[in-house]
Amino acid sequence: MAKVTAEISMSLDGFVAGPNQTLDDPLGAGGDQLHEWAVRLKTFREFHGQEGGDVDSDDELLAESVGSVGAIVMGRRMFSGGAGPWDDDPNASGWWGDDPPFHKPVFVVTHHEREPLADTTFTFVTDGIERAVELARDASGDDAVGISGGADVIQQTLDAGLLDELQIHLAPVLLGGGVRLFNENDGRAQRIEQTDLRESPTGVVHLRFRTV
């Protein structure tokens, strides 16, 4: 069975996006600082159809992550930033326009039905995180299923006992507010064990955990 992994950049005070998120500023105030370690890298730039970029230990780590994933699960806000009926979503085609960078199946968890978009392919799943992960496992073959966010979908995957591995890129930033990665659940304790720690030239610490 395909391993289910998640990775996300987080501030020292526990936020994965800053306050006051909008369609024009989806990462919120200061949120772009969380990803400065990645956007400079060759692997990141190639993934988004760009040239150049740095090659170092961070690039090696990112290349490992990108190459290990055969299918992706994300939430509605990660896909478009919107909510509610698709006809009312001003960004209904997603952040990436006509050329999404994934080139592998993506399953979007949403409350609102919609036909698949064939470019990547985006499949919209209204039966919850368990069904989305099941479909992604079927599509990923021997590769891992990547939970790309946002925070709510990662938390749902963890709460459902579906997450095998979590990688947090801990940035030396204090956002002071915004979207937290971990919120209160129904009171169930969850145990994770650290399996790896790598330091970045940028000051970011890459932490990897497995669920127990």
Side-chain angles (χ1 to χ4, degrees):
M1 183 179 294
K3 180 169 68 173
V4 179
T5 68
E7 66 175 296
I8 196 165
S9 294
M10 185 177 77
S11 69
L12 285 176
D13 48 353
F15 296 99
V16 297
N20 305 316
Q21 291 175 278
T22 65
L23 286 178
D24 292 329
D25 190 11
L27 295 176
D32 56 339
Q33 299 175 77
L34 301 177
H35 305 280
E36 288 177 351
W37 72 271
V39 297
R40 65 186 179 84
L41 299 175
K42 181 176 185 288
T43 296
F44 181 93
R45 295 182 65 82
E46 285 182 347
F47 188 75
H48 291 86
Q50 302 169 348
E51 297 181 351
D54 296 343
V55 177
D56 56 18
S57 59
D58 283 348
D59 190 66
E60 179 182 355
L61 181 144
L62 186 61
E64 289 174 4
S65 297
V66 171
S68 69
V69 170
I72 294 170
V73 174
M74 67 174 60
R76 167 71 181 276
R77 290 192 180 277
M78 182 76 179
F79 174 77
S80 73
W86 289 102
D87 288 344
D88 298 335
D89 188 341
N91 196 32
S93 61
W95 298 111
W96 308 279
D98 295 331
D99 189 24
F102 304 102
H103 306 297
K104 58 190 69 176
V106 178
F107 299 87
V108 180
V109 181
T110 176
H111 295 295
H112 299 273
E113 293 184 357
R114 182 178 181 181
E115 291 297 314
L117 298 180
D119 294 328
T120 280
T121 304
F122 290 105
T123 300
F124 301 92
V125 182
T126 58
D127 299 328
I129 189 64
E130 292 88 351
R131 178 59 174 160
V133 169
E134 179 185 4
L135 292 170
R137 275 179 162 153
D138 290 342
S140 66
D142 295 330
D143 294 328
V145 171
I147 310 296
S148 68
D152 183 59
V153 167
I154 292 176
Q155 184 70 65
Q156 288 181 49
T157 310
L158 187 61
D159 290 345
L162 296 170
L163 193 64
D164 299 307
E165 185 177 283
L166 173 64
Q167 187 166 212
I168 296 175
H169 309 291
L170 191 63
V173 175
L174 297 172
L175 292 180
V179 178
R180 288 196 177 276
L181 176 55
F182 300 115
N183 290 311
E184 293 184 9
N185 57 18
D186 59 7
R188 289 179 291 120
Q190 294 160 308
R191 184 182 172 196
I192 60 175
E193 291 183 349
Q194 183 179 319
T195 60
D196 193 22
L197 182 153
R198 305 188 199 184
E199 295 184 10
S200 163
T202 66
V204 169
V205 178
H206 306 291
L207 298 164
R208 182 173 293 161
F209 304 90
R210 70 176 183 92
T211 58
V212 179

